[in-house]
Amino acid sequence: MEIRQGGTDDVPAILAMLDRAVAWLVEEGRTGQWGTEPWSARPQGAEKVTATVRSGAAWLAEVDGSPVGALVLAPHPSEDVPRVAEPEVFVRLLVTDRRHAGHGVGSALLAHAVAEARRQGIGLVRVDCYAGGGGRLVDYYRGNGFTPTETFRVGEWPGQVLEQRLS
């Protein structure tokens, strides 16, 4: 697996991965995170993903030249997430292609986020995620070295902020 810098040209590949993730969540009966409609079919779906990619540094994980995961790092969270009074690297987007689930793609991208923070001399990496569904996504981030900090809500959608402090 290779991780390369991405950009807006990668939005179609990121949308395809998000669409496969939504389909998988629907099959699992877990529609609370992203609903039932594919990202590419949402009226603002492509625009939102493009804006997220433009908000920071996009990275794509590839296997044999094909995208298998995407990560967007930014210097701050979205407007829904509480800010901190120190420099941070914030994971604004993390998605892995469901066809490569269980192969460590997401973990490799999160390790890349930590390496980027270290490269920039920043001692804090944060991420937010869906806190419903029995906390499975929160547990995933915990398993990747993140510690839950605060919760928040966007309407009925429960969110969790997690952090990893670097020494």
Side-chain angles (χ1 to χ4, degrees), residues 11 34 38 41 67 70 77 81 90 115 117 122 124 137:
V11 167
W34 284 337
V81 176
F90 200 91
I122 296 174
L124 177 63
L137 197 49

Side-chain angles (χ1 to χ4, degrees), residues 83-87:
R83 295 197 180 213
V84 293
E86 65 183 286

Side-chain angles (χ1 to χ4, degrees), residues 17-165:
M17 287 186 271
L18 288 166
D19 285 352
R20 284 190 283 279
V22 169
W24 175 75
L25 287 167
V26 169
E27 285 175 16
E28 294 283 307
R30 298 185 305 153
T31 59
Q33 181 175 342
W34 284 337
T36 60
E37 188 176 7
W39 278 86
S40 62
R42 297 174 191 192
Q44 309 293 323
E47 291 85 4
K48 185 170 183 173
V49 172
T50 300
T52 299
V53 168
R54 286 188 176 138
S55 75
W59 299 92
L60 262 67
E62 294 182 332
V63 171
D64 298 327
S66 295
V68 297
L71 170 74
V72 176
L73 303 176
H76 52 79
S78 67
E79 63 277 352
D80 297 317
V81 176
R83 295 197 180 213
V84 293
E86 65 183 286
E88 70 177 314
V89 169
F90 200 91
V91 176
R92 292 283 301 267
L93 171 76
L94 176 67
V95 62
T96 60
D97 192 317
R98 292 306 309 163
R99 297 175 296 188
H100 293 270
H103 291 105
V105 175
S107 294
L109 286 167
L110 289 171
H112 185 79
V114 168
E116 277 297 302
R118 283 197 170 105
R119 186 186 67 73
Q120 296 173 36
I122 296 174
L124 177 63
V125 179
R126 292 196 314 150
V127 63
D128 73 286
C129 70
Y130 178 62
R136 290 175 64 178
L137 197 49
V138 173
D139 289 343
Y140 173 79
Y141 285 109
R142 290 175 80 133
N144 279 280
F146 287 81
T147 302
T149 57
E150 56 199 318
T151 60
F152 66 99
R153 290 188 95 68
V154 178
E156 295 298 312
W157 192 89
Q160 174 71 57
V161 179
L162 299 97
E163 71 178 22
Q164 189 172 137
R165 293 218 169 254

